[in-house]
Each structure stands twice: as C-alpha cells, then as structure tokens.
C-alpha cells in the first residue's frame, strides 16, 4: 500500500525538500491572506487604514518570493540561494508581525499611532455641495477597529498569520541548512 505523498510525484518531491514545502506553504498562506484582505475591503467594504495597507507589503513580497524560492528548490538550485530566500521570507514575516503588534496596540489604546488617515479623494464640485460631499467621505483611522472576531481585529490576526509564516520559513531554513 502506498501513501498519497508516495503515489503522486509532485508530493514526493515536496516531502523530500523542506525548502520547497516551506516556500510553497508560505506562498499559499500569503495569497490566501491577501485575498481575504481584498475580500474585506472590496466586498464587505471594511476599508483599510494606513497601517493596514503597510501590513500588506510583506504579503506582496512573500507571494512572488515564495513562488520563486519554491521553483528554485524544485529545480535543484544551490542551497545558499534557497537559504537566502527562506531567510528573507522569515524576516519579512517577523517584521510584519511586529508592525501588526504595533497596530494592535494602537487599536487597544496602549500607545499613540500615526496621525494620518485615509479616505477617498473625491471631486468636491461646487462650493454649495462642499459640506454634503465632506459628509460622504469615510475616513479610516488606525485606532478604530472596524471588525473583530473572537476579540481580535484584523491586525491581531495579521500578527498570528505572520508568526505562522515566519515559523514555517524558519523551519524550512533550518531543515535545508541541516541537509549538508
């Protein structure tokens, strides 16, 4: 009897290469997370604040870098290249967890956040319509939570997801380094 990973060659390759497994896992998690962020923004109309937008940068890095590291691992690239890709993934995720922690602290009122806010740029039109148009602009503040689930905001979930991605990338790094 064969296992699923032994029966399908692609799974066998991933199971034998921690760099491939880790980089693909980070890529999939990052893609699912950014898709979720866009869903909240575009479908549920929960608009991001400036800190929310900054937290997306790590995912925008992790998706292509994770895919490239996975392709490099699959094609038998040199170990130092794989280690570099995994290290950058881990460090970017850790930095993002730090930014998410900062944002969560701002939301909980533990410390002051940035003073800038975002809102759509609109054509204000005639002077008589100015007050009416200003009332329709939704300004998103970093210290106001728009959505919570189980007591955590989206910034809190970003911390958990980023720590998971960092742990997976670090696991891939250590296992790849041990393969001497």
């Amino acid at each position: 009897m064969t296992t699923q990973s032994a029966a399908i060659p692609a799974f066998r390759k991933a199971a034998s290469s921690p760099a491939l497994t880790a980089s693909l896992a980070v890529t999939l998690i990052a893609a699912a997370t950014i898709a979720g962020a866009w869903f909240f923004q575009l479908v549920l109309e929960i608009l991001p604040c400036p800190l929310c937008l900054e937290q997306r940068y790590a995912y925008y890095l992790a998706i292509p870098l994770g895919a490239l590291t996975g392709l490099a691992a699959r094609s038998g690239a040199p170990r130092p290249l794989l280690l570099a890709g995994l290290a950058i993934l881990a460090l970017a995720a850790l930095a993002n967890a730090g930014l998410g922690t900062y944002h969560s602290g701002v939301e909980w009122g533990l410390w002051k956040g940035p003073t800038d806010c975002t809102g759509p740029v609109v054509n204000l039109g005639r002077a008589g319509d100015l007050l009416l148009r200003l009332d329709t602009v939704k300004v998103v503040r970093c210290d106001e939570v728009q959505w919570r689930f189980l007591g955590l905001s989206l910034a809190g979930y970003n911390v958990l997801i980023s720590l998971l991605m960092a742990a997976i990338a670090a696991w891939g790094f250590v296992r790849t380094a041990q393969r001497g």
Side-chain angles (χ1 to χ4, degrees):
M1 184 160 112
T2 62
T3 64
Q4 185 73 6
S5 63
I8 300 173
F11 288 134
R12 194 173 332 126
K13 180 77 170 173
S16 67
S17 171
L20 177 60
T21 303
S23 60
L24 291 182
V26 168
T27 302
L28 291 174
I29 292 167
T33 302
I34 205 67
W38 289 340
F39 177 81
F40 274 91
Q41 179 179 346
L42 301 173
V43 176
L44 301 180
E45 297 183 1
I46 298 175
L47 300 177
C49 72
L51 283 176
C52 294
L53 292 173
E54 288 178 21
Q55 289 169 78
R56 293 182 185 184
Y57 296 157
Y59 297 102
Y60 295 141
L61 170 69
I63 294 168
L65 180 58
L68 286 173
T69 304
L71 287 172
R74 184 161 173 78
S75 65
R79 191 168 28 148
L81 180 66
L82 300 177
L83 292 173
L86 291 167
I88 293 169
L89 287 170
L91 292 173
L94 280 176
N96 202 42
L99 183 58
T101 300
Y102 169 71
H103 189 186
S104 295
V106 169
E107 292 174 339
W108 286 102
L110 300 176
W111 42 75
K112 294 269 186 212
T115 56
D116 58 338
C117 294
T118 62
V121 176
V122 295
N123 179 4
L124 297 178
R126 296 179 298 129
D129 295 334
L130 179 62
L131 289 176
L132 177 64
R133 293 197 184 268
L134 285 175
D135 284 339
T136 63
V137 174
K138 182 176 181 182
V139 176
V140 181
R141 296 177 45 98
C142 295
D143 60 351
E144 293 177 2
V145 178
Q146 298 181 65
W147 183 87
R148 282 193 199 274
F149 180 69
L150 300 176
L152 286 179
S153 67
L154 292 173
Y157 283 103
N158 175 56
V159 173
L160 298 176
I161 293 166
S162 294
L163 288 174
L164 174 65
M165 290 180 5
I168 291 169
W171 171 84
F173 181 93
V174 169
R175 293 292 308 269
T176 301
Q178 290 174 342
R179 292 193 148 210

